[in-house]
Amino acid sequence: MPAITWEDPFCGEGANCFRIGTDTEGNAYIAVAGQEDHPLTDSREALRALIREIKAGRADHLL
């Protein structure tokens, strides 16, 4: 597995913390903080699309 550069954890209410990371091969990773050895992996473009959709309110029904 390539070396992943992790961002600082993002923690919501109740200390549910997630981390986002990237590698030099164009992959993006999302993991629960402390469980970075089991990330969800996709392309950076897929991560960008996910973030755009969330910011546009497309996941508001999950709140």
Side-chain angles (χ1 to χ4, degrees), residues 2-7 20-29 44 47:
I4 301 169
T5 302
W6 292 102
E7 298 290 328
I20 294 176
T22 56
D23 66 23
T24 57
E25 296 179 16
N27 299 308
Y29 303 84
R44 287 186 190 192
L47 178 60

Side-chain angles (χ1 to χ4, degrees), residues 3-39:
I4 301 169
T5 302
W6 292 102
E7 298 290 328
D8 290 335
F10 171 79
C11 300
E13 292 181 28
N16 297 316
C17 300
F18 294 91
R19 296 187 78 183
I20 294 176
T22 56
D23 66 23
T24 57
E25 296 179 16
N27 299 308
Y29 303 84
I30 300 174
V32 174
Q35 298 181 19
E36 290 84 355
D37 53 337
H38 300 290

